Amino acid sequence: MTILSVNINKIALIRNSRGANTPNLVQVALDCERFGAQGITIHPRPDERHAKYSDVQGLKQHISTELNIEGYPTEKFMQVVCATKPAQVTLVPDPPQAITSNSGWDTKTHFAFLQEIIQELQRNNIRSSIFVNPEEEMIEYAAKIGCNRIELYTEPYAANYAKDRKQAVAPYILCSQLAANCGLQVNAGHDLSLENLAYFKQQLPVLHEVSIGHALVCDALYMGLERTIALYREQLV
């Protein structure tokens, strides 16, 4: 079974626009769980323009599914996650000024840095995932680093899905199997949607979790959060 983790950053962005606590991020996370989400994801960035570091503790205390914290491992980020101990930390190589994540780690170039971070997460009993492009060498080095999972960056798949979905998914099939052969579990995320998710799930030999936020929240504006989460779950059967 592939788990659906709902990224609630866009909900936090709406909250921050008025400087108060509406919508309440914890309540939205609880509602997502009630509607069928099997995990909650947030990606706090240094400028805290959507999810804030202070959101991590509240979510960890109240939700009953897995909490996945994404982000670049700054000193502040590592202090927060090691103090809170979410189920999973996904390391993403985005600089502070980035609007969104737009590439995976070069796990060969940053091998020593990532290995040190992964070892710290392991000492704190936190499952680790490294965000990577669908490239064989990057996955092989991720396995050597010693992380538990990789998260495949799926924007290239989504961008090319309508033109040639078979070609678009091909590298992900290969990399999913390679990761499994290397002893890694496989997550995926970025621009997955109701249009392209089912085919992606059907084609990959191994897929443990998808993290979806932007498309899901946009769909919820029209269909409501409960119906939207149900539809995304249906794509993963």
Side-chain angles (χ1 to χ4, degrees):
M1 182 179 67
T2 301
I3 288 175
L4 171 65
S5 184
V6 175
N7 186 317
I8 55 175
N9 269 19
K10 287 298 185 296
I11 304 298
L13 183 65
I14 296 170
R15 174 199 62 186
N16 295 353
S17 68
R18 295 298 293 269
N21 195 34
T22 303
N24 183 298
L25 202 65
V26 170
Q27 186 58 55
V28 172
L30 293 173
D31 289 337
C32 287
E33 290 183 323
R34 183 163 56 89
F35 298 149
Q38 298 144 302
I40 299 296
T41 293
I42 60 169
H43 185 153
R45 287 182 166 86
D47 63 5
E48 297 191 317
R49 61 182 178 269
H50 33 60
K52 300 178 181 292
Y53 291 119
S54 59
D55 291 323
V56 175
Q57 185 62 44
L59 289 167
K60 178 64 164 55
Q61 287 178 343
H62 289 93
I63 69 171
S64 58
T65 59
E66 290 194 347
L67 178 61
N68 172 44
I69 308 299
E70 299 179 341
Y72 185 87
T74 62
E75 182 178 353
K76 173 67 172 178
F77 179 90
M78 293 301 294
Q79 287 174 350
V80 170
V81 299
C82 289
T84 311
K85 295 180 172 55
Q88 178 173 269
V89 166
T90 302
L91 302 178
V92 181
D94 54 348
Q97 69 273 17
I99 295 175
T100 186
S101 308
N102 58 14
S103 183
W105 284 96
D106 182 334
T107 51
K108 182 177 181 180
T109 299
H110 300 286
F111 183 92
F113 172 70
L114 289 169
Q115 189 172 59
E116 181 178 350
I117 296 296
I118 293 298
Q119 289 172 352
E120 184 173 358
L121 294 174
Q122 291 173 340
R123 286 192 293 269
N124 284 275
N125 298 312
I126 301 170
R127 186 173 71 232
S128 57
S129 179
I130 298 178
F131 193 63
V132 294
N133 296 334
E135 300 171 10
E136 294 175 72
E137 186 177 39
M138 297 302 101
I139 292 167
E140 289 168 349
Y141 273 89
K144 292 175 184 177
I145 286 167
C147 60
N148 305 111
R149 296 187 178 189
I150 56 161
E151 179 174 334
L152 292 169
Y153 171 51
T154 50
E155 191 277 336
Y157 162 75
N160 292 293
Y161 175 82
K163 181 170 59 178
D164 187 340
R165 66 181 188 174
K166 185 175 181 179
Q167 182 178 14
V169 81
Y172 295 89
I173 296 172
L174 179 65
C175 289
S176 170
Q177 189 60 64
L178 173 61
N181 293 344
C182 290
L184 298 170
Q185 295 185 315
V186 180
N187 297 346
H190 204 93
D191 285 355
L192 294 174
S193 67
L194 289 175
E195 177 186 7
N196 60 43
L197 180 59
Y199 182 75
F200 187 80
K201 156 66 178 173
Q202 292 161 7
Q203 297 302 307
L204 262 63
V206 179
L207 183 61
H208 293 89
E209 177 182 309
V210 293
S211 175
I212 304 178
H214 184 79
L216 190 150
V217 171
C218 290
D219 290 332
L221 293 174
Y222 292 93
M223 297 184 288
L225 191 57
E226 182 172 9
R227 176 61 177 153
T228 298
I229 289 175
L231 286 172
Y232 275 87
R233 286 286 306 273
E234 288 175 11
Q235 312 308 305
L236 297 171
V237 174

